[in-house]
Amino acid sequence: MANIQVFPTPAALYHSAAEYWVRTAKRAIERAGTFHIALAGGSTPRALYQLLATEPYAGQIDWRRIHVYFGDERYVPRDHPDSNYRMAREALLDSVAIPPEQILRIQTEFPEPELAADDYAQVLQSHLPEGEIFDLILLGLGADGHTASLFPETPILTVRDRLAAAVYVKKLKAWRISITYPAVEKARQILFLVTGADKAAVVTHVLSPSADKTLPVQHLQAQGEVSWYLDAEAARKWEVTK
Ligand SMILES: O=C1O[C@H](COP(=O)(O)O)[C@@H](O)[C@H](O)[C@H]1O
């Protein structure tokens, strides 16, 4: 059963998500000495990353113990405006003391997206703690129901033998590299961040137990704790139906 929280404003959501991150990191560091987190891309998490780079949050985290991964990446150069790595770097990673070798981006320099995905699958296998388990995965939700780059009606949805894969998204005419269901499902904790009125319909569909299981996020068989942080706009239609 997921924990669903609705916040009156995006700012309230971001502050609670920053507190969640700090709590989860401290707990992991106490338990294992490290915190392995996969970041979401897109635009929603940017404000969270910016908050984490400032007080009172930044000073509560032992950044030297943090290992950062990416849930998905656009197959573009790392300084491209669409790059999820670039967004996270500008919003957070450039401002905190994570050792550079612990920032494990998806390397899009490979000549084929499949090679980049194979490389990232290896990176995850060799860097994640035993069992290839993330402490926390941050995820977003696209208006079409995609999460990470698990897009509807794409072959990546059937990949269960690798931790990362490449996917061509026809409607975007673009390649993506993404972690796969098995990588997401094993995480200790998953936190979805969803804001804005354009997500209201998809949120209602995804969170209604009786809705058709047509969207990728509905097929996620998470083994750990799942939380949804929604702002009031994104939750507007769901709150009416529940
Ligand atoms: O393309 C992407 O979309 C999703 C959702 O992004 P959002 O800005 O609408 O929240 C995101 O989670 C994913 O990382 C990104 O590559």
Side-chain angles (χ1 to χ4, degrees):
M1 189 60 187
N3 156 41
I4 305 170
Q5 294 197 43
V6 179
F7 298 90
T9 60
L13 179 152
Y14 291 125
H15 279 283
S16 284
E19 285 161 14
Y20 180 108
W21 169 308
V22 169
R23 245 187 349 262
T24 311
K26 281 185 177 166
R27 209 185 305 137
I29 292 167
E30 268 168 35
R31 189 189 59 242
T34 53
F35 178 56
H36 294 258
I37 178 165
L39 301 184
S43 53
T44 307
R46 181 192 297 270
L48 167 64
Y49 300 159
Q50 287 168 336
L51 261 189
L52 284 161
T54 59
E55 296 309 329
Y57 305 109
Q60 296 185 59
I61 298 170
D62 185 351
W63 294 100
R64 295 162 308 162
R65 310 286 189 120
I66 312 282
H67 296 243
V68 171
Y69 306 79
F70 288 79
D72 72 319
E73 185 56 280
R74 291 87 184 266
Y75 185 57
V76 295
R78 65 178 163 174
D79 57 354
H80 191 280
D82 292 343
S83 161
N84 285 337
Y85 167 69
R86 175 178 166 170
M87 184 277 285
R89 184 176 62 69
E90 290 177 351
L92 174 65
L93 304 175
D94 275 353
S95 310
V96 294
I98 303 176
E101 66 277 13
Q102 290 170 206
I103 299 176
L104 297 150
R105 70 179 174 90
I106 298 174
Q107 303 224 15
T108 51
E109 292 78 1
F110 285 90
E112 302 292 339
E114 288 89 350
L115 295 175
D118 289 349
D119 175 72
Y120 206 57
Q122 289 293 328
V123 166
L124 296 180
Q125 264 183 321
S126 54
H127 286 79
L128 280 171
E130 211 183 321
E132 295 150 353
I133 295 173
F134 289 103
D135 293 308
L136 175 61
I137 302 184
L138 297 178
L139 289 173
L141 179 67
D144 63 358
H146 80 271
T147 190
S149 280
L150 301 171
F151 277 83
E153 296 169 23
T154 57
I156 195 171
L157 302 182
T158 59
V159 176
R160 299 213 63 102
D161 61 347
R162 276 161 288 159
L163 297 175
V167 57
Y168 183 70
V169 186
K170 266 192 212 152
K171 66 182 169 193
L172 302 175
K173 294 194 177 70
W175 281 92
R176 299 284 186 94
I177 294 114
S178 181
I179 59 173
T180 54
Y181 279 130
V184 180
E185 288 170 350
K186 287 194 277 186
R188 282 179 206 279
Q189 289 176 228
I190 295 172
L191 175 60
F192 284 93
L193 302 175
V194 192
T195 62
D198 59 323
K199 304 286 175 67
V202 71
V203 162
T204 309
H205 186 102
V206 165
L207 297 183
S208 306
S210 58
D212 294 346
K213 300 274 181 281
T214 49
L215 303 178
V217 70
Q218 294 172 290
H219 294 273
L220 201 58
Q221 304 282 330
Q223 293 164 20
E225 177 190 299
V226 179
S227 301
W228 287 83
Y229 279 15
L230 313 169
D231 76 344
E233 286 290 298
R236 199 178 49 196
K237 293 187 180 163
W238 173 70
E239 294 209 294
V240 173
T241 60
K242 77 177 164 127

